[in-house]
Amino acid sequence: MKEAYKKSAQEVMESLKVTSEGLNNEEVEKRRKEQGFNELNEGKKKNTIQVFGEQFKDLLVLILLGAAVISMFLGNEESALVIFSVVILNAILGTAQHIKAEKSLSSLKALSAPIARVLRNGEKVEIPSREVVVGDILYLEAGDYVSADGRIIENFSLQVNESSLTGESESVVKTEEVIDGDNVSIGDMKNMVFAGSFVTYGRAAAVVTNIGMDTEIGKVASLLENTKQKKTPLQISLDDFGKKLASIILIISALIFILNMYRGYEVIDSFMFAVALAVAAIPEALSSIVTIVLALGTQKMAKENAIIRKLQAVESLGSVSVICSDKTGTLTQNKMTAKKIYIDEKIMDIENLDLSNTMEKKLVLMSLLCSDAISGEDKEIGDPTEIALTNLGRKYNLREIDVREMYPRICEIPFDSDRKLMSTVHKIENQITMITKGALDVILERAVKICTSDGVRELTYKDKEEIKKVNENFSKKGLRVLAFAYRNLNENKEITLKDEEDLIFVGLISMIDPPREESQKAVAECISAGIKPIMITGDHKITASAIAKQIGILKNEDEAMEGYELDRLSDEELKEKVDKVSVYARVSPEHKIRIVRAWQEKGNVVAMTGDGVNDAPALKQADIGISMGITGTEVAKDAASMVLTDDNFATIVKAISNGRNIYNNIKNSIKFLLSGNTAGIMAVLYAALASLPNPFAAVHLLFINLLTDSLPAIALGLEPHKSSVMEGKPRNINKSILSKDFVYEIVVEGFLIAACTMIAFKLGLQSGNTNIASTMAFATLCMARLFHGFNCRSRESIFKIGIFSNKYAWIAFGIGTLFLNSVLLFEPLRGIIQVEKLTVNQYAAFYVLAFIPFTVIQLYKFFFVKTSEGRVHYNEVINANN
Ligand code: ATP
């Protein structure tokens, strides 16, 4: 619809044929058929053939194809054919892996798809944004992304950030009034909302005028922002490593080629020797193994309530050393129940109220009017803090809906966690009255009078001290306190922030929000895993400290700090102090960024939770921004790299454990691939330098690298997760995966396999037939690498972690062994893979030799690797805390 800004809300509704009930299902279906879905054109997805084609862009594959062509010209067509077939088979495997990884990532994306709240059949419903049609009535509130363009029909102080369209970062104040004029710019269409912008303040209803590519953003952005997942740091460093290794190997291969020619070998033999070395060395499967393991890992995490939005997060999770968590809802249950009130200078239990007392009734009525929650018979809707109030009313037969009907709301300033206040205006007994509720400290700053049963009088210093004492008393019990005040207004006008002063204090309502059952255990687990948990909350310092103590975040030597104290510290001073503070109270979202930065400057990897629209910058600044799936705003979810579907702190700790395990599994896969390759390189180099014949045909190494090695590598990536990963410190994110120790292990294990392979080769040479020797070397190398798969499952011996605990390892081993034995036993295959028939003794000999590296490594692990010693179990930490 064009130029809706010129028409009144009523006219727009009429021309779009929408009633105040919204659209009905039938109409929605009809419109969807005409208009399609509310989505922007996504960049074209690659089809299977394109993905298959991409597999040939790999450096190794190009080298192989080159080798195949050259061998064909040199008259070795058989070799060429085998190389071609293996390369194609590898490309098929690569395509299948790519598609599987894509699938799991796109199902993940669907899980975190944006939603919209609309009116359909007279009822407010939540739907995926893509299902919005023209004519839908859209409800917007702070933190929502606007799903489509629309004309505002009901406005409550709506402010919208339209920077994605206009580049202007200041929020625009919206109105529902008609705007005159032609060619009005987007920034000036103040009665319209636009897709791609987000609500920073207030709320509104708008009728949708345009969707999908017809929206203003659809017109400018013909393609959706490139949604392709970026490579993770690990993938980048492995790609880089692979390229460097490939170039070095190419040089060495060329030298070996020249050396052999010089020794008088045939060109074809020298060439195949050089190709064998290149094939043995290049770790072609590395990067794709990382992708598939990361992708499968995210599926497991999604089942455990953590949805990963950025693949990089899985890797960084294992390095998290600080978790900054909200209190309400994340560490606590977010189920608030009113417990005690303070009114007329008296503290009372919620059970003992007497609503025939005017003061008590006044406080309860104020609490029902100045809140939006509804406590229905079977469902509660709204902010849990306010549900505690409406439930309190219902306990004394005061239904919020009746009270609100009796004294309708004229206007309001919604709650926001920066201001920590909410105000509503009503006409009560012919008097326009503003009711304000919020944090006590903020209300006391603005209150000048107090209302008691003797009437309204000046609020003295003594009164304030008394009220603060009561507040402290409530807070020490972990209760959240809301203060209530009011003010009479002279005229019926829109209120602004300036009106929230000269208040008359009435009383306090305190409520309990118990910690989640899992929080204490999860906090203890964090601590034993070398991760510092920190509570950041808008709540009062004493309330926050009481809860933090209960769950083990705040210990005696730690401190709690308030937002205003933080304001007084310079960044340098904060950095000095930051590791002693474990509770931040009365903070606003801007403080969160400073806390994250201070920890990051000290070299930490920080996870930070957030749910509000103002939390987005801090979520982006954190290494892992975590948003709440239930209470989180769309803006926070969009900024986060992980979304918790259950809003639970314990889920973060579980995700970290998963992150550590996934990283370990990837590391084990890499170790398996690289140590096997090292064995191949060592064997070929040794033969070249010792003037022995070439131990392998290129096909042999291709067979191992591309066929029998891929499956165990994936199986290692699927190794069951171990809870013991949370008993060590977080991994240093800057430390390369190829650490000295890791490379040392790769070389030693590779050497063991190479040595046995060479013994087999020499045994074979004794038969006088080089082909038999080569077959023995190939069979030993292949089998030893299959056995080695079990070595790489863990740093510990497999007898300790359970021989059968990874069924995939056995399946991979079984398939690999079947491949190898089929090739050795069946005549037609023997010809293709260039192996000779072995005698029973030779067969037995290669099995024994292949088993030796496995035995040596397992014995070493069994007797010398003691990872389980020195572990602190989290139960011990819990006991130590209590
Ligand atoms: P976090 O989720 O970060 O742990 P929180 O939920 O405790 O923080 P806020 O919701 O920002 O923090 O609340 C801060 C303070 O604002 C509370 O201590 C309370 O006094 C007051 N407050 C909370 N909710 C409301 C509300 N709906 N209306 C008025 N005041 C409120």
mmCIF file of all heavy atoms in Angstrom, residues 325-329 370 383 385-386 415-418 420-422 437-440 480-483 536-540 586-587 592 611, ligand 1:
data_model
loop_
_atom_site.group_PDB
_atom_site.id
_atom_site.type_symbol
_atom_site.label_atom_id
_atom_site.label_comp_id
_atom_site.label_asym_id
_atom_site.label_seq_id
_atom_site.Cartn_x
_atom_site.Cartn_y
_atom_site.Cartn_z
ATOM 1 N N SER A 325 26.330 -13.221 34.432
ATOM 2 C CA SER A 325 24.941 -13.643 34.246
ATOM 3 C C SER A 325 23.965 -12.692 34.919
ATOM 4 O O SER A 325 24.229 -12.180 36.000
ATOM 5 C CB SER A 325 24.773 -15.046 34.820
ATOM 6 O OG SER A 325 23.416 -15.385 34.849
ATOM 7 N N ASP A 326 22.819 -12.488 34.275
ATOM 8 C CA ASP A 326 21.714 -11.782 34.921
ATOM 9 C C ASP A 326 21.261 -12.618 36.102
ATOM 10 O O ASP A 326 21.491 -13.819 36.119
ATOM 11 C CB ASP A 326 20.523 -11.704 33.968
ATOM 12 C CG ASP A 326 20.728 -10.674 32.897
ATOM 13 O OD1 ASP A 326 21.552 -9.772 33.101
ATOM 14 O OD2 ASP A 326 20.054 -10.784 31.851
ATOM 15 N N LYS A 327 20.603 -11.962 37.024
ATOM 16 C CA LYS A 327 20.084 -12.736 38.139
ATOM 17 C C LYS A 327 18.688 -13.263 37.835
ATOM 18 O O LYS A 327 18.457 -14.464 37.791
ATOM 19 C CB LYS A 327 20.020 -11.868 39.404
ATOM 20 C CG LYS A 327 19.250 -12.515 40.545
ATOM 21 C CD LYS A 327 19.268 -11.663 41.796
ATOM 22 C CE LYS A 327 18.395 -10.441 41.711
ATOM 23 N NZ LYS A 327 16.948 -10.723 41.780
ATOM 24 N N THR A 328 17.763 -12.304 37.594
ATOM 25 C CA THR A 328 16.359 -12.664 37.546
ATOM 26 C C THR A 328 16.053 -13.553 36.348
ATOM 27 O O THR A 328 16.275 -13.164 35.214
ATOM 28 C CB THR A 328 15.502 -11.386 37.499
ATOM 29 O OG1 THR A 328 15.990 -10.523 38.510
ATOM 30 C CG2 THR A 328 14.045 -11.685 37.719
ATOM 31 N N GLY A 329 15.580 -14.748 36.632
ATOM 32 C CA GLY A 329 15.177 -15.643 35.556
ATOM 33 C C GLY A 329 16.289 -16.559 35.090
ATOM 34 O O GLY A 329 16.024 -17.626 34.560
ATOM 35 N N CYS A 370 -0.936 0.216 38.432
ATOM 36 C CA CYS A 370 0.350 0.548 37.804
ATOM 37 C C CYS A 370 1.078 -0.728 37.404
ATOM 38 O O CYS A 370 2.217 -0.965 37.780
ATOM 39 C CB CYS A 370 1.181 1.371 38.773
ATOM 40 S SG CYS A 370 2.698 1.951 38.044
ATOM 41 N N ASP A 383 5.001 -9.595 33.062
ATOM 42 C CA ASP A 383 6.242 -9.570 33.810
ATOM 43 C C ASP A 383 6.029 -10.234 35.184
ATOM 44 O O ASP A 383 5.117 -9.859 35.918
ATOM 45 C CB ASP A 383 6.621 -8.080 33.950
ATOM 46 C CG ASP A 383 7.850 -7.864 34.795
ATOM 47 O OD1 ASP A 383 8.394 -8.848 35.301
ATOM 48 O OD2 ASP A 383 8.247 -6.694 34.942
ATOM 49 N N THR A 385 7.382 -9.888 37.989
ATOM 50 C CA THR A 385 7.328 -8.941 39.114
ATOM 51 C C THR A 385 5.897 -8.433 39.270
ATOM 52 O O THR A 385 5.382 -8.298 40.390
ATOM 53 C CB THR A 385 8.256 -7.738 38.831
ATOM 54 O OG1 THR A 385 9.555 -8.236 38.563
ATOM 55 C CG2 THR A 385 8.292 -6.772 39.976
ATOM 56 N N GLU A 386 5.245 -8.180 38.146
ATOM 57 C CA GLU A 386 3.880 -7.646 38.203
ATOM 58 C C GLU A 386 2.862 -8.748 38.457
ATOM 59 O O GLU A 386 1.820 -8.500 39.072
ATOM 60 C CB GLU A 386 3.571 -6.909 36.894
ATOM 61 C CG GLU A 386 4.477 -5.686 36.741
ATOM 62 C CD GLU A 386 4.107 -4.803 35.562
ATOM 63 O OE1 GLU A 386 3.278 -5.230 34.739
ATOM 64 O OE2 GLU A 386 4.644 -3.692 35.479
ATOM 65 N N PHE A 415 7.821 0.845 32.052
ATOM 66 C CA PHE A 415 9.005 0.510 32.857
ATOM 67 C C PHE A 415 10.209 0.359 31.945
ATOM 68 O O PHE A 415 10.106 -0.177 30.858
ATOM 69 C CB PHE A 415 8.773 -0.816 33.594
ATOM 70 C CG PHE A 415 10.012 -1.327 34.285
ATOM 71 C CD1 PHE A 415 10.497 -0.696 35.422
ATOM 72 C CD2 PHE A 415 10.722 -2.405 33.771
ATOM 73 C CE1 PHE A 415 11.659 -1.142 36.040
ATOM 74 C CE2 PHE A 415 11.877 -2.856 34.385
ATOM 75 C CZ PHE A 415 12.342 -2.219 35.524
ATOM 76 N N ASP A 416 11.334 0.888 32.383
ATOM 77 C CA ASP A 416 12.555 0.467 31.697
ATOM 78 C C ASP A 416 13.653 0.322 32.715
ATOM 79 O O ASP A 416 13.656 0.990 33.754
ATOM 80 C CB ASP A 416 12.898 1.368 30.495
ATOM 81 C CG ASP A 416 13.712 2.556 30.851
ATOM 82 O OD1 ASP A 416 14.921 2.391 30.995
ATOM 83 O OD2 ASP A 416 13.114 3.639 30.992
ATOM 84 N N SER A 417 14.557 -0.615 32.438
ATOM 85 C CA SER A 417 15.470 -1.021 33.496
ATOM 86 C C SER A 417 16.578 0.006 33.722
ATOM 87 O O SER A 417 17.298 -0.092 34.708
ATOM 88 C CB SER A 417 16.026 -2.415 33.224
ATOM 89 O OG SER A 417 16.509 -2.500 31.923
ATOM 90 N N ASP A 418 16.703 1.007 32.872
ATOM 91 C CA ASP A 418 17.647 2.089 33.149
ATOM 92 C C ASP A 418 17.087 3.006 34.233
ATOM 93 O O ASP A 418 17.758 3.370 35.176
ATOM 94 C CB ASP A 418 17.860 2.938 31.886
ATOM 95 C CG ASP A 418 18.994 2.385 31.053
ATOM 96 O OD1 ASP A 418 19.771 1.600 31.607
ATOM 97 O OD2 ASP A 418 19.084 2.736 29.861
ATOM 98 N N LYS A 420 14.342 2.347 36.084
ATOM 99 C CA LYS A 420 13.825 1.495 37.160
ATOM 100 C C LYS A 420 12.512 2.017 37.749
ATOM 101 O O LYS A 420 12.237 1.889 38.935
ATOM 102 C CB LYS A 420 14.881 1.311 38.261
ATOM 103 C CG LYS A 420 16.159 0.675 37.729
ATOM 104 C CD LYS A 420 17.190 0.432 38.780
ATOM 105 C CE LYS A 420 18.387 -0.267 38.211
ATOM 106 N NZ LYS A 420 19.052 0.401 37.097
ATOM 107 N N LEU A 421 11.712 2.634 36.900
ATOM 108 C CA LEU A 421 10.419 3.168 37.328
ATOM 109 C C LEU A 421 9.367 2.875 36.273
ATOM 110 O O LEU A 421 9.698 2.652 35.111
ATOM 111 C CB LEU A 421 10.492 4.707 37.443
ATOM 112 C CG LEU A 421 11.298 5.358 38.551
ATOM 113 C CD1 LEU A 421 11.146 6.862 38.432
ATOM 114 C CD2 LEU A 421 10.838 4.884 39.916
ATOM 115 N N MET A 422 8.085 2.907 36.733
ATOM 116 C CA MET A 422 6.976 2.863 35.775
ATOM 117 C C MET A 422 5.889 3.772 36.327
ATOM 118 O O MET A 422 5.648 3.793 37.535
ATOM 119 C CB MET A 422 6.451 1.427 35.672
ATOM 120 C CG MET A 422 5.104 1.342 34.999
ATOM 121 S SD MET A 422 4.671 -0.380 34.698
ATOM 122 C CE MET A 422 3.065 -0.186 33.961
ATOM 123 N N LYS A 437 5.645 3.270 40.361
ATOM 124 C CA LYS A 437 6.257 2.206 41.157
ATOM 125 C C LYS A 437 7.666 1.957 40.629
ATOM 126 O O LYS A 437 7.960 2.260 39.463
ATOM 127 C CB LYS A 437 5.424 0.919 41.106
ATOM 128 C CG LYS A 437 5.572 0.071 39.857
ATOM 129 C CD LYS A 437 4.808 -1.210 40.059
ATOM 130 C CE LYS A 437 5.051 -2.282 39.024
ATOM 131 N NZ LYS A 437 4.874 -1.931 37.627
ATOM 132 N N GLY A 438 8.525 1.427 41.491
ATOM 133 C CA GLY A 438 9.883 1.167 41.026
ATOM 134 C C GLY A 438 10.834 0.886 42.168
ATOM 135 O O GLY A 438 10.417 0.576 43.289
ATOM 136 N N ALA A 439 12.133 0.984 41.852
ATOM 137 C CA ALA A 439 13.159 0.702 42.855
ATOM 138 C C ALA A 439 13.090 1.751 43.957
ATOM 139 O O ALA A 439 12.906 2.940 43.666
ATOM 140 C CB ALA A 439 14.522 0.716 42.195
ATOM 141 N N LEU A 440 13.252 1.311 45.218
ATOM 142 C CA LEU A 440 13.072 2.241 46.339
ATOM 143 C C LEU A 440 14.026 3.426 46.253
ATOM 144 O O LEU A 440 13.628 4.571 46.469
ATOM 145 C CB LEU A 440 13.264 1.510 47.670
ATOM 146 C CG LEU A 440 13.210 2.476 48.848
ATOM 147 C CD1 LEU A 440 11.803 2.989 49.057
ATOM 148 C CD2 LEU A 440 13.758 1.860 50.114
ATOM 149 N N ARG A 480 12.923 -9.073 46.694
ATOM 150 C CA ARG A 480 12.973 -7.924 45.773
ATOM 151 C C ARG A 480 11.924 -6.925 46.257
ATOM 152 O O ARG A 480 10.817 -7.309 46.608
ATOM 153 C CB ARG A 480 12.676 -8.417 44.360
ATOM 154 C CG ARG A 480 11.953 -7.430 43.498
ATOM 155 C CD ARG A 480 11.780 -7.947 42.102
ATOM 156 N NE ARG A 480 13.068 -7.953 41.439
ATOM 157 C CZ ARG A 480 13.255 -7.631 40.169
ATOM 158 N NH1 ARG A 480 12.242 -7.286 39.423
ATOM 159 N NH2 ARG A 480 14.424 -7.663 39.631
ATOM 160 N N VAL A 481 12.284 -5.662 46.266
ATOM 161 C CA VAL A 481 11.372 -4.663 46.844
ATOM 162 C C VAL A 481 10.907 -3.679 45.779
ATOM 163 O O VAL A 481 11.708 -3.153 45.014
ATOM 164 C CB VAL A 481 12.077 -3.887 47.982
ATOM 165 C CG1 VAL A 481 11.098 -2.948 48.673
ATOM 166 C CG2 VAL A 481 12.693 -4.847 48.983
ATOM 167 N N LEU A 482 9.598 -3.439 45.756
ATOM 168 C CA LEU A 482 9.048 -2.400 44.889
ATOM 169 C C LEU A 482 8.468 -1.309 45.783
ATOM 170 O O LEU A 482 7.769 -1.601 46.760
ATOM 171 C CB LEU A 482 7.909 -2.951 44.043
ATOM 172 C CG LEU A 482 8.242 -3.766 42.800
ATOM 173 C CD1 LEU A 482 6.951 -4.144 42.093
ATOM 174 C CD2 LEU A 482 9.139 -2.978 41.857
ATOM 175 N N ALA A 483 8.768 -0.060 45.436
ATOM 176 C CA ALA A 483 8.218 1.049 46.216
ATOM 177 C C ALA A 483 7.085 1.673 45.415
ATOM 178 O O ALA A 483 7.112 1.676 44.177
ATOM 179 C CB ALA A 483 9.302 2.073 46.471
ATOM 180 N N ILE A 536 25.178 -10.034 37.510
ATOM 181 C CA ILE A 536 24.963 -8.629 37.177
ATOM 182 C C ILE A 536 23.468 -8.399 37.169
ATOM 183 O O ILE A 536 22.739 -9.078 36.447
ATOM 184 C CB ILE A 536 25.531 -8.295 35.779
ATOM 185 C CG1 ILE A 536 27.020 -8.624 35.743
ATOM 186 C CG2 ILE A 536 25.296 -6.841 35.431
ATOM 187 C CD1 ILE A 536 27.730 -8.162 34.505
ATOM 188 N N THR A 537 22.997 -7.482 37.995
ATOM 189 C CA THR A 537 21.554 -7.350 38.115
ATOM 190 C C THR A 537 21.118 -5.900 38.315
ATOM 191 O O THR A 537 21.894 -5.071 38.785
ATOM 192 C CB THR A 537 21.033 -8.215 39.289
ATOM 193 O OG1 THR A 537 19.652 -7.983 39.453
ATOM 194 C CG2 THR A 537 21.760 -7.903 40.575
ATOM 195 N N GLY A 538 19.878 -5.656 37.941
ATOM 196 C CA GLY A 538 19.316 -4.330 38.170
ATOM 197 C C GLY A 538 18.763 -4.233 39.584
ATOM 198 O O GLY A 538 18.372 -3.174 40.050
ATOM 199 N N ASP A 539 18.736 -5.363 40.276
ATOM 200 C CA ASP A 539 18.122 -5.407 41.603
ATOM 201 C C ASP A 539 19.009 -4.748 42.661
ATOM 202 O O ASP A 539 20.140 -4.368 42.395
ATOM 203 C CB ASP A 539 17.859 -6.877 41.965
ATOM 204 C CG ASP A 539 16.556 -7.036 42.719
ATOM 205 O OD1 ASP A 539 16.113 -6.026 43.311
ATOM 206 O OD2 ASP A 539 16.000 -8.146 42.731
ATOM 207 N N HIS A 540 18.478 -4.664 43.876
ATOM 208 C CA HIS A 540 19.176 -4.027 44.988
ATOM 209 C C HIS A 540 20.398 -4.844 45.401
ATOM 210 O O HIS A 540 20.393 -6.073 45.316
ATOM 211 C CB HIS A 540 18.196 -3.928 46.156
ATOM 212 C CG HIS A 540 18.652 -3.029 47.242
ATOM 213 N ND1 HIS A 540 19.464 -3.455 48.249
ATOM 214 C CD2 HIS A 540 18.421 -1.731 47.463
ATOM 215 C CE1 HIS A 540 19.707 -2.441 49.068
ATOM 216 N NE2 HIS A 540 19.090 -1.381 48.602
ATOM 217 N N ARG A 586 22.180 -2.921 40.778
ATOM 218 C CA ARG A 586 21.682 -1.629 40.297
ATOM 219 C C ARG A 586 22.482 -1.127 39.092
ATOM 220 O O ARG A 586 22.828 0.050 39.015
ATOM 221 C CB ARG A 586 21.763 -0.582 41.410
ATOM 222 C CG ARG A 586 20.735 -0.744 42.472
ATOM 223 C CD ARG A 586 19.352 -0.359 41.981
ATOM 224 N NE ARG A 586 18.391 -0.335 43.066
ATOM 225 C CZ ARG A 586 17.362 -1.179 43.184
ATOM 226 N NH1 ARG A 586 17.170 -2.124 42.284
ATOM 227 N NH2 ARG A 586 16.518 -1.080 44.174
ATOM 228 N N VAL A 587 22.805 -2.045 38.211
ATOM 229 C CA VAL A 587 23.559 -1.620 37.039
ATOM 230 C C VAL A 587 22.614 -1.369 35.880
ATOM 231 O O VAL A 587 21.511 -1.900 35.829
ATOM 232 C CB VAL A 587 24.589 -2.670 36.581
ATOM 233 C CG1 VAL A 587 25.705 -2.793 37.549
ATOM 234 C CG2 VAL A 587 23.915 -3.994 36.328
ATOM 235 N N LYS A 592 27.422 -2.940 31.719
ATOM 236 C CA LYS A 592 27.794 -4.306 31.327
ATOM 237 C C LYS A 592 28.982 -4.287 30.360
ATOM 238 O O LYS A 592 29.863 -5.109 30.447
ATOM 239 C CB LYS A 592 26.612 -5.014 30.667
ATOM 240 C CG LYS A 592 25.494 -5.366 31.615
ATOM 241 C CD LYS A 592 24.457 -6.193 30.879
ATOM 242 C CE LYS A 592 23.478 -6.854 31.834
ATOM 243 N NZ LYS A 592 22.539 -7.717 31.119
ATOM 244 N N ASP A 611 18.978 -9.651 27.949
ATOM 245 C CA ASP A 611 17.680 -9.875 27.315
ATOM 246 C C ASP A 611 17.062 -8.619 26.725
ATOM 247 O O ASP A 611 16.271 -8.680 25.810
ATOM 248 C CB ASP A 611 16.707 -10.555 28.293
ATOM 249 C CG ASP A 611 16.717 -9.914 29.664
ATOM 250 O OD1 ASP A 611 17.241 -8.776 29.772
ATOM 251 O OD2 ASP A 611 16.210 -10.520 30.619
HETATM 252 P P1 ATP B 1 18.422 -8.858 35.972
HETATM 253 O O1 ATP B 1 17.404 -9.496 35.084
HETATM 254 O O2 ATP B 1 19.457 -8.069 35.261
HETATM 255 O O3 ATP B 1 18.929 -9.727 37.060
HETATM 256 P P2 ATP B 1 16.382 -7.491 37.294
HETATM 257 O O4 ATP B 1 15.347 -8.129 36.482
HETATM 258 O O5 ATP B 1 16.442 -7.793 38.743
HETATM 259 O O6 ATP B 1 17.769 -7.659 36.712
HETATM 260 P P3 ATP B 1 15.357 -5.021 36.405
HETATM 261 O O7 ATP B 1 14.224 -5.759 35.803
HETATM 262 O O8 ATP B 1 16.132 -4.069 35.630
HETATM 263 O O9 ATP B 1 16.370 -5.944 37.100
HETATM 264 O O10 ATP B 1 14.779 -4.300 37.685
HETATM 265 C C1 ATP B 1 15.531 -3.366 38.418
HETATM 266 C C2 ATP B 1 14.689 -2.785 39.532
HETATM 267 O O11 ATP B 1 13.584 -2.128 38.944
HETATM 268 C C3 ATP B 1 14.096 -3.840 40.460
HETATM 269 O O12 ATP B 1 14.914 -4.029 41.564
HETATM 270 C C4 ATP B 1 12.768 -3.245 40.866
HETATM 271 O O13 ATP B 1 12.937 -2.442 42.005
HETATM 272 C C5 ATP B 1 12.400 -2.357 39.705
HETATM 273 N N1 ATP B 1 11.423 -3.025 38.842
HETATM 274 C C6 ATP B 1 11.496 -4.236 38.275
HETATM 275 N N2 ATP B 1 10.415 -4.502 37.531
HETATM 276 C C7 ATP B 1 9.621 -3.418 37.622
HETATM 277 C C8 ATP B 1 8.365 -3.051 37.068
HETATM 278 N N3 ATP B 1 7.686 -3.862 36.261
HETATM 279 N N4 ATP B 1 7.865 -1.844 37.385
HETATM 280 C C9 ATP B 1 8.537 -1.008 38.181
HETATM 281 N N5 ATP B 1 9.719 -1.288 38.727
HETATM 282 C C10 ATP B 1 10.260 -2.462 38.476
#
